Amino acid sequence: MTSSVTDHELKQIHRMMWGAGEYVRIADLVAGACAELVDRIGTCEGTDLLDVACGTGNVSIPAALRGARVTGVDLTPEHFPAARARADEAGVQITWQEGDAEQLEFPDSSFDRVTSTFGSQFAPRHDRVAAELVRVCRPGGLIGLCNWTEQGWTGQFQRILASYFPTPQDFQQPAMRWGDETYVRTLFQGHPVHIECRLRNVPYAFPSAEHLVRFFEANFGPFITARSTVSPRSRWAQLRADLVDMTETFNTTPGEGFLADVEYLEIVLQKEG
């Protein structure tokens, strides 16, 4: 049964969930994929770049190191202290601003590059996000996205986690659809963009599947929130066991520790100019 909440209430719940834990440690797992996206979209000196759902700066910081003028926007400003510390350590200046991927507070055609890595796909209304990403990008500019796929480890992790909670709101579209190329092309139909997609993987290396689940249990905000809200405790034990069993199926090195190639879809869109 669906528990009815408003759009504002849902986003406050999202902010609370993503602000729990030590997201900077989760971000470290995907830092390489984010840096590769920065390379692919050709960020350089003087480029104006908007990083949407910027987290702790995985795209913002390498882009700034290449000379870009970077603005990082996130629904969860609790990430910004870690982001600022990382930027200070790297010796770069970045503007950090609280904001919503569905309603970006910038004029049309403000940025040469617009990015979002493993973030804005969790906003509830995909069509609004797509429209906003295109709107704030300048003609001839590039939009670069990295999104988890449904069939990959993250998609399966989210599927199991969601099965223990109430049905999503009617306006809440499944996040993992952003990892489906056919869906993404349909989503951007009618927008003045050319799209290139490719499936890629990011490695998760741990001593075992149990260690990977334990890592997320200690650091990943939505998982921490789940642990504190699932009742009775026997349901948590079952959820956790389900996650470990699922994770085992992704191990590419059985008997030699644990290594999973976690799938995501890299998307580059060029706005017609």
Side-chain angles (χ1 to χ4, degrees):
M1 181 177 179
T2 303
S3 175
S4 180
V5 299
T6 66
D7 177 75
H8 175 74
E9 289 169 338
L10 179 64
K11 288 177 181 177
Q12 289 304 304
I13 291 169
H14 282 190
R15 175 177 173 176
M16 177 196 69
M17 288 195 307
W18 289 98
E22 296 290 334
Y23 182 76
V24 66
R25 298 196 65 198
I26 302 295
D28 286 343
L29 291 176
V30 298
C34 298
E36 288 172 8
L37 180 69
V38 173
D39 289 339
R40 188 172 178 205
I41 63 175
T43 304
C44 60
E45 188 75 33
T47 300
D48 291 313
L49 183 143
L50 176 66
D51 188 19
V52 182
C54 62
T56 54
N58 270 0
V59 165
S60 298
I61 293 169
L65 285 168
R66 289 159 175 77
R69 293 184 291 265
V70 179
T71 300
V73 172
D74 204 288
L75 186 69
T76 307
E78 286 79 3
H79 295 324
F80 292 163
R84 291 190 182 99
R86 294 178 74 197
D88 288 346
E89 185 177 354
V92 294
Q93 294 292 319
I94 295 168
T95 299
W96 308 103
Q97 182 173 321
E98 183 177 350
D100 185 346
E102 294 183 356
Q103 190 173 1
L104 297 170
E105 296 182 358
F106 303 99
D108 296 355
S109 304
S110 293
F111 299 92
D112 303 301
R113 302 288 185 268
V114 181
T115 59
S116 188
T117 54
F118 313 112
S120 64
Q121 74 177 112
F122 293 97
R125 297 177 177 87
H126 299 175
D127 55 342
R128 293 189 185 180
V129 173
E132 284 293 273
L133 296 175
V134 175
R135 182 184 67 77
V136 300
C137 186
R138 289 175 181 146
L142 297 177
I143 302 165
L145 310 172
C146 293
N147 296 322
W148 300 120
T149 67
E150 184 176 11
Q151 63 270 20
W153 180 84
T154 305
Q156 294 304 301
F157 177 94
Q158 295 286 348
R159 177 186 61 79
I160 291 172
L161 205 59
S163 70
Y164 285 80
F165 287 89
T167 304
Q169 303 301 302
D170 292 340
F171 60 83
Q172 194 172 357
Q173 296 166 297
M176 298 304 141
R177 297 192 72 185
W178 273 100
D180 181 322
E181 179 176 349
T182 300
Y183 175 75
V184 169
R185 290 187 179 278
T186 300
L187 189 61
F188 283 95
Q189 271 185 352
H191 293 288
V193 294
H194 301 286
I195 304 175
E196 293 184 4
C197 299
R198 59 178 179 174
L199 287 172
R200 308 205 67 194
N201 296 293
V202 59
Y204 283 6
F206 286 83
S208 67
E210 164 65 29
H211 281 83
L212 188 157
V213 172
R214 191 183 306 166
F215 177 83
F216 272 75
E217 189 176 17
N219 298 292
F220 187 52
F223 201 11
I224 292 169
T225 303
R227 184 179 61 195
S228 66
T229 57
V230 167
S231 180
R233 292 301 300 170
S234 59
R235 293 191 76 223
W236 175 255
Q238 185 58 57
L239 183 156
R240 199 181 183 289
D242 290 346
L243 288 172
V244 173
D245 289 345
M246 176 277 294
T247 299
E248 289 280 9
T249 68
F250 282 89
N251 190 7
T252 62
T253 58
E256 302 176 14
F258 178 88
L259 176 65
D261 292 323
V262 182
E263 187 179 74
Y264 68 95
L265 185 69
E266 183 187 80
I267 306 160
V268 176
L269 308 100
Q270 182 164 29
K271 186 173 179 179
E272 295 175 2

